[in-house]
Amino acid sequence: MDNHGDDFGTWVAENGAVQRSEEEWAVIAGYVRHAANKIGPALPLCLPGEPQECGRTAQQHVLAWAASLKASAHHIIETSAPSQARAAHVAGPLYQRRLTELREQR
């Protein structure tokens, strides 16, 4: 995976994220990559210090790989639902309810 979200640019102030150390971001990136790899396709070993180190931060990997995981999950919904209406419900209202629950836990 070559797409690490580099096309976003640096013109937007970015200071709203949870503050974590590079080591903490690396652990989370590893978890997200592991989850994404379980449903495929495999993501590279390119975190700082890994065999294919790409030079991007662990936080950037968390974001890029979470996007990959979200896309893979959405693809599973689309290909597994018995109808387009059911897929739309699961990807829409059901997803939004779960997201609301997660935000409230924060």
Side-chain angles (χ1 to χ4, degrees), residues 7-104:
D7 57 333
F8 182 73
T10 58
W11 55 270
V12 177
E14 297 180 320
N15 56 7
V18 173
Q19 299 300 308
R20 293 190 169 98
S21 68
E22 183 69 8
E23 293 77 22
E24 290 169 323
W25 282 118
V27 169
I28 295 168
Y31 292 155
V32 174
R33 179 178 61 203
H34 182 72
N37 286 345
K38 289 289 187 182
I39 56 178
L43 297 172
L45 294 173
C46 63
L47 283 170
E50 290 186 338
Q52 301 166 349
E53 183 174 339
C54 69
R56 294 171 182 90
T57 67
Q59 182 182 17
Q60 192 168 358
H61 285 88
V62 168
L63 297 172
W65 292 347
S68 179
L69 180 58
K70 183 178 179 179
S72 295
H74 193 94
H75 182 70
I76 289 171
I77 290 168
E78 290 178 340
T79 59
S80 301
S83 67
Q84 286 184 340
R86 182 68 174 160
H89 173 73
V90 171
L94 186 60
Y95 169 82
Q96 287 299 322
R97 284 196 303 255
R98 179 63 181 136
L99 184 58
T100 297
E101 291 170 2
L102 291 170
R103 287 175 176 158
E104 289 171 355

